[in-house]
Amino acid sequence: MHRRGLLGEHGLAFWIDTERRNVLFDTGQGLALQHNAQHLGLHMDSVEAVVLSHGHNDHTGGLSTVIQLAPQAIVYAHPAAFERKYVRRDDGTTRDIGVPDPQSLDALRRAAAWIHAVKPLDVGGGMFVTGPIPRPTRFEDTGGHFFLDGDCRTPDPLSDDQALFFASSQGTVVLLGCAHAGVINTLQYVRKLTRGSPIHAVMGGMHLKDVPLERIERTLEAFRQLEIERLGPAHCTGAGA
């Protein structure tokens, strides 16, 4: 954070105001969300839709707070986002990185509705979620050692990973949570969903922080081929990338 009065955390949350609809894309860990919203003059009680990119706690931790402040909000999330999720560290130990439970499930019960994002959906205000993303590229994977059990025996394919996109006067804008499905897989799918519309901007986490240099180079080459005009790498993209 570089602005006085704001709090920083390892998390991601995009506030989107189209004048027709207020949408929150991810909710961070939840420690900074309400404070930063108030400091920026954003009225959390006006949120009409919450889109969760996937079920990791640095994207879902603020869900309960949002629903408490905006009970009218509709939640768009893949059912797999609420499965248990773990990561295996390099030293072999594991860490629970799933949505805060039972807090998140209680929030879902209090939400106006939970729409299962198992396919592309219109969330209103000209915004869309991809739902599950096909993964044809050979150089992209989930970007880490993710599992569905604490013993790390069942890999987590992160089928819940999705992106949000909308049209602008200069082309399509794509927002990423962590792009566990692969940022290029994601962009190619958005191009398909928008019938080949050029992509103007891509912002968010690209999960390239621990990947081989070859993958970063192939990702950059794909960006050039897609003729991306604006890049906003953030969150888990990694300094090297």
Side-chain angles (χ1 to χ4, degrees), residues 8-197:
E9 66 179 14
H10 179 73
L12 188 74
F14 283 101
W15 174 277
I16 312 163
D17 178 2
T18 70
E19 297 184 350
R20 289 184 292 158
R21 195 167 181 83
N22 286 342
V23 174
L24 194 65
F25 180 60
D26 284 344
T27 65
Q29 289 189 41
L31 304 175
L33 185 68
Q34 187 173 0
H35 171 90
N36 286 352
Q38 291 176 342
H39 190 79
L40 293 168
L42 304 176
H43 300 286
M44 198 66 69
D45 58 359
S46 69
V47 171
E48 297 166 271
V50 179
V51 177
L52 299 180
S53 65
H54 63 297
H56 286 165
N57 55 26
D58 51 336
H59 297 259
T60 62
L63 179 61
S64 182
T65 297
V66 176
I67 298 305
Q68 180 179 356
L69 296 172
Q72 76 280 357
I74 299 172
V75 177
Y76 294 82
H78 192 282
F82 295 92
E83 296 176 346
R84 301 315 308 155
K85 294 179 179 292
Y86 300 85
V87 64
R88 186 178 64 207
R89 302 184 180 96
D90 291 338
D91 63 4
T93 59
T94 62
R95 180 166 60 94
D96 186 337
I97 58 171
V99 295
D101 187 50
Q103 169 182 307
S104 59
L105 298 179
D106 180 60
L108 281 177
R109 284 192 290 268
R110 289 185 283 111
W114 171 22
I115 306 298
H116 291 195
V118 295
K119 61 180 180 180
L121 294 171
D122 183 347
V123 301
M127 288 171 279
F128 301 84
V129 293
T130 60
I133 297 165
R135 306 178 184 188
T137 65
R138 295 185 178 182
F139 62 91
E140 294 185 303
D141 55 31
T142 57
H145 303 295
F146 302 109
F147 296 87
L148 295 172
D149 61 311
D151 295 329
C152 296
R153 295 178 179 177
T154 307
D156 184 359
L158 282 159
S159 55
D160 46 318
D161 185 80
Q162 62 177 350
L164 183 145
F165 63 96
F166 54 89
S168 77
S169 60
Q170 296 172 290
T172 304
V173 176
V174 182
L175 301 185
L176 309 168
C178 273
H180 285 294
V183 58
I184 302 306
N185 284 331
T186 301
L187 298 181
Q188 290 176 345
Y189 188 47
V190 169
R191 283 288 301 272
K192 179 180 179 180
L193 293 175
T194 58
R195 299 183 180 180
S197 175

